[in-house]
Amino acid sequence: MGIPIALLHGDMADVEKPTRNYMTFCIDPFLKKIRDELNAKMIDKKEFLAGKKVETKRASYSNMFDVATAVDKYKYFIIKNYQESSEAIKGGEKNEA
């Protein structure tokens, strides 16, 4: 069935990669087969060509550390030291005379 051995045995250490592989190589193809069969059995050709179709979604699994670099790139107004760009433009310390 494509289930990684670590998940079958119930190992608790380092299961992130086997879980990701299980979702990618076992669950996703299974969902595609279900989606294709539902589209074939429940929707006729005319409706399908008009854009009506069954969609399937799997439970999303993401680790915050997997997407950390992507989130960092998304915050384009924040510079490397995590100040807002408007604060960085103002300059350094204020010199009061």
Side-chain angles (χ1 to χ4, degrees), residues 65-80:
F65 297 110
D66 289 343
V67 295
T69 55
V71 169
D72 227 14
K73 291 176 184 174
Y74 179 69
K75 297 185 290 184
Y76 60 92
F77 284 112
I78 297 177
I79 60 174
K80 191 171 185 176

Side-chain angles (χ1 to χ4, degrees), residues 59-97:
S60 66
Y61 168 78
S62 63
N63 184 351
M64 68 177 177
F65 297 110
D66 289 343
V67 295
T69 55
V71 169
D72 227 14
K73 291 176 184 174
Y74 179 69
K75 297 185 290 184
Y76 60 92
F77 284 112
I78 297 177
I79 60 174
K80 191 171 185 176
N81 61 359
Y82 298 103
Q83 287 182 334
E84 291 187 17
S85 58
S86 59
E87 294 294 321
I89 293 172
K90 288 181 184 176
E93 297 177 6
K94 294 181 181 178
N95 292 333
E96 297 189 24

